[in-house]
């Protein structure tokens, strides 16, 4: 009998150790829920994020916030690898409940959650890569922790008429996973369940519920603008300078579609021609001496830039030509000067791997 108890205890201890190891190895991620602007606020009613490991995960408590692709807030980390989601939410400005049950492409999501994207290169002795596999990042954590950001959040964006966009986040970088379509809940029984859950979860009195429906209702809300922001064209970029001491270190693209990606030297010197959304702005970091460090932001107009790219060729290059004094940047598309909203140049204190020594 004693022997059986010992065997049972060993089995239970083994299972507990295995469980603890699995928990330690299970990845974590934060979740954000966003909207295009505060007029289009939505509130989850039922939410479930599917994970590869089977661990339960969900959305933050409360309504969407922030701006498109950035909520400006965080919540308790969820555990697992997200592989899909099932969400019912209330769109108060439309006075509609929407439901979506969506799976991600498993191969694609596993690839994207295994990537680490660079956000700085100063603390690395070797050139950064466009992205680093998570296994390599984990194998030398102390070396890479201040250079690359692993997958650490998933961001949901809810636009009018059931449009749902999802991005994966890596520190300051965001990459779109896809655009999905929720369907309006029309079944009366289901609507009653959704309403009751909404009222009880958020402790909303029914009289206030009715008052808010009237106050915030927007009858002509459309997702067209944010669908248009997702248009992609084949383009790359080239940054040049008249100054003989010019060193080009970083090129960050903040796109209208919510994506943000930072690129670094040396691969920014020969960037890929690839499908990209239209930039809201680009950030350029360069030096011409130890006392001449600069950061510039070039802001684009979506309508004007879209029109230019729509009528241009199949492959396009944005060119940014900096004058010798580091005081002006001429912007061209395929060697033709173009109009941008603004160009701002600032002194910079950023340092890079190949910066001039002080």
């Amino acid at each position: 009998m004693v022997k059986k108890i010992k065997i049972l205890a060993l089995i239970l201890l083994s299972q507990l150790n295995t469980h603890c190891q699995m928990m330690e190895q299970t990845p974590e991620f934060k979740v954000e829920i966003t909207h295009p602007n505060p007029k289009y606020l939505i509130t989850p009613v039922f939410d479930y994020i599917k994970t590869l490991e089977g661990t339960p995960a969900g959305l933050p408590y409360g309504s969407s916030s922030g701006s498109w692709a950035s909520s400006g807030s965080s919540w308790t980390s969820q555990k697992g690898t997200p592989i899909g989601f099932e969400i019912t939410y209330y769109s108060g400005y439309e006075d509609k409940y929407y439901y979506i049950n969506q799976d991600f492409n498993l191969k694609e999501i596993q690839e994207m959650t295994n990537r680490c994207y660079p956000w700085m290169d100063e603390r690395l002795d070797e050139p950064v890569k466009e992205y680093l596999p998570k296994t390599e990042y984990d194998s030398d954590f102390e070396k890479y922790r201040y250079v690359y950001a692993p997958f650490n959040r998933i961001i949901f964006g809810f636009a009018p008429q059931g449009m749902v966009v999802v991005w994966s986040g890596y520190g300051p970088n965001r990459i779109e996973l896809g655009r999905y379509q929720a369907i309006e809940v029309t079944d009366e029984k289901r609507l009653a369940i959704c309403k009751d859950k909404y009222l009880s979860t958020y402790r909303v009195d029914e009289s206030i519920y009715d008052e808010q429906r009237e106050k915030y209702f927007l009858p002509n809300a459309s997702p067209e603008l944010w669908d248009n922001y997702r248009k992609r064209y084949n383009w790359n970029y080239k940054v040049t300078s008249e100054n003989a001491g010019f060193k080009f270190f970083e090129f960050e693209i903040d796109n209208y579609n919510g994506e943000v990606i930072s690129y670094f030297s040396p691969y920014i010197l020969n960037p890929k021609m690839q499908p990209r959304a239209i930039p809201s702005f680009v950030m350029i970091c360069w030096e011409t001496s130890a006392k001449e460090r600069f950061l510039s932001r070039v802001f684009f107009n979506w309508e004007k830039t879209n029109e230019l790219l729509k009528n241009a060729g199949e492959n396009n290059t944005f060119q940014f030509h900096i004058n010798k004094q580091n005081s002006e940047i001429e912007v061209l598309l395929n060697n033709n000067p173009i109009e941008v909203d603004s160009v701002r140049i600032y002194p910079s204190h950023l340092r890079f791997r190949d910066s001039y020594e002080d």
Side-chain angles (χ1 to χ4, degrees), residues 298-355:
V298 179
F299 293 84
F300 292 80
N301 177 283
W302 187 87
E303 288 80 6
K304 292 178 181 177
T305 310
N306 181 62
E307 195 65 25
L308 286 169
L309 288 170
K310 188 169 63 174
N311 295 311
E314 184 177 336
N315 295 322
N316 304 278
T317 300
F318 284 104
Q319 294 137 314
F320 304 86
H321 187 61
I322 306 166
N323 69 352
K324 187 176 182 178
Q325 295 76 29
N326 299 304
S327 59
E328 294 181 1
I329 299 179
E330 183 182 21
V331 185
L332 307 93
L333 176 64
N334 303 330
N335 297 312
N336 297 308
I338 64 170
E339 181 183 354
V340 294
D341 276 1
S342 66
V343 177
R344 303 172 192 177
I345 301 173
Y346 313 93
S348 174
H349 300 289
L350 294 175
R351 297 292 185 275
F352 298 88
R353 187 175 63 89
D354 290 329
S355 283

Side-chain angles (χ1 to χ4, degrees), residues 205-225:
D205 184 85
E206 191 152 358
S207 62
I208 295 176
Y209 179 81
D210 292 336
E211 182 182 308
Q212 290 177 336
R213 285 195 307 170
E214 294 181 9
K215 183 177 180 180
Y216 298 108
F217 185 64
L218 297 171
N220 299 314
S222 168
E224 183 179 7
L225 180 60

